[in-house]
């Protein structure tokens, strides 16, 4: 008579463990780590692929290495942050016996300092992405709480006007203050379009092809 299937036994044990309420907080931290790693890879990989092949020079091997490095860094950092944030949240709630708004803020501050405090290209992009989102959110919250009056007209056109006016002024006269990837994008759009030699680099290519590329 055959003994119990070890795979089925293992799955039963794991699934039984996952249903234990007393382990829920710790397991949520582990799943948060998993979700951070997966989401970071899904977000960064296509972005790195496009930006690398559009703007980065070098061999195919170098480009693939850059894509993998950027994807790994984003995935790792987001996984570390979610793990730290959820772990500190759970710890504070356990110590104080309840969940407070300050727990979220403090846990995220510590996680942000530990994980996203290193000044590199990936962290810079993530932090600036979040900054634009929280400025919008804080503006809406200020109106919701009555700190500023509800606008009589949609302020978005004024917002768009200032954003584009300021960013192009900075690009044309103080480009060194902008993030390198933004500089590259704007160079492609606004400066590279000022130069051509014939129909090939006017319509087909952005820049004339070298002998090695032909």
């Amino acid at each position: 008579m055959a003994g119990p299937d070890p795979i089925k036994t293992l799955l039963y044990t794991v699934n039984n463990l996952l249903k234990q309420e007393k382990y829920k907080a710790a397991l949520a931290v582990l799943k948060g780590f998993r979700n951070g790693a997966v989401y970071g890879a899904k977000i960064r990989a296509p972005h790195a692929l496009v930006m690398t092949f559009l703007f980065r020079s070098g061999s195919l091997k170098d480009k693939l290495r850059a894509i993998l490095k950027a994807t790994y860094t984003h995935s790792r950092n987001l996984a570390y942050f979610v793990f730290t944030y959820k772990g500190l949240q759970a710890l504070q709630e356990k110590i104080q016996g309840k969940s407070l708004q300050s727990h979220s803020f403090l846990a995220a501050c510590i996680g942000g300092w530990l994980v996203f405090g290193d000044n590199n290209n990936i962290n810079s992009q993530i932090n600036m992405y979040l900054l634009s989102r929280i400025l919008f959110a804080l503006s809406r919250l200020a109106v919701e709480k009555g700190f500023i009056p509800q606008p009589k007209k949609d302020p978005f056109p004024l917002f768009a006007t200032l954003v584009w006016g300021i960013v192009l002024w900075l690009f044309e006269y103080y480009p060194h203050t902008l993030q390198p990837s933004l500089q590259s994008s704007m160079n492609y759009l606004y400066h590279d379009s000022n130069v051509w030699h014939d129909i090939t680099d006017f319509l087909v290519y952005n820049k004339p092809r070298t002998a090695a590329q032909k």
Side-chain angles (χ1 to χ4, degrees):
M1 184 175 179
D5 187 339
I7 301 298
K8 289 184 177 180
T9 301
L10 177 61
L11 289 175
Y12 174 82
T13 302
V14 171
N15 286 330
N16 187 56
L17 177 67
L18 293 175
K19 295 176 182 177
Q20 298 295 316
E21 189 67 26
K22 62 181 177 180
Y23 300 129
K24 187 172 183 179
L27 292 171
V29 172
L30 292 177
K31 185 171 182 182
F33 181 90
R34 177 264 178 200
N35 283 5
V38 171
Y39 187 78
K42 289 171 67 175
I43 291 296
R44 178 56 57 175
H47 176 269
L49 177 69
V50 171
M51 297 302 288
T52 299
F53 278 95
L54 273 179
F55 300 115
R56 190 183 182 97
S57 59
S59 66
L60 177 61
K61 183 178 180 181
D62 290 337
K63 291 179 179 180
L64 292 176
R65 184 182 292 113
I67 293 168
L68 290 174
K69 181 179 179 181
T71 302
Y72 168 75
T73 302
H74 194 146
S75 177
R76 179 200 62 195
N77 286 6
L78 199 53
Y80 284 176
F81 177 81
V82 177
F83 182 88
T84 303
Y85 171 71
K86 291 181 69 68
L88 291 175
Q89 262 197 319
L91 179 62
Q92 291 176 97
E93 184 175 349
K94 183 175 181 60
I95 292 173
Q96 295 194 272
K98 59 181 178 179
S99 179
L100 301 173
Q101 290 190 25
S102 60
H103 292 172
S104 176
F105 181 76
L106 181 60
C109 282
I110 295 174
W113 178 65
L114 291 174
V115 178
F116 292 111
D118 184 25
N119 189 5
N120 56 54
N121 290 338
I122 302 297
N123 286 350
S124 179
Q125 290 172 3
I126 294 172
N127 289 337
M128 286 192 289
Y129 172 88
L130 290 177
L131 176 62
S132 64
R133 268 56 181 176
I134 64 173
L135 289 176
F136 262 87
L138 288 174
S139 299
R140 294 189 180 110
L141 185 62
V143 173
E144 183 181 304
K145 296 294 184 180
F147 297 128
I148 59 176
Q150 177 73 39
K152 295 181 180 179
K153 295 183 178 180
D154 184 4
F156 194 83
L158 176 60
F159 163 76
T161 300
L162 292 175
V163 165
W164 284 96
I166 292 172
V167 75
L168 265 299
W169 168 69
L170 288 172
F171 170 69
E172 296 291 0
Y173 297 102
Y174 305 97
H176 63 280
T177 63
L178 298 175
Q179 189 189 28
S181 63
L182 181 57
Q183 290 182 47
S184 296
S185 299
M186 290 196 158
N187 271 320
Y188 183 87
L189 292 169
Y190 306 113
H191 286 178
D192 288 358
S193 56
N194 292 333
V195 180
W196 62 87
H197 301 85
D198 54 37
I199 191 66
T200 59
D201 61 346
F202 185 80
L203 285 181
V204 183
Y205 304 106
N206 177 45
K207 295 182 179 180
R209 306 185 78 191
T210 62
Q213 292 175 311
K214 293 180 180 179

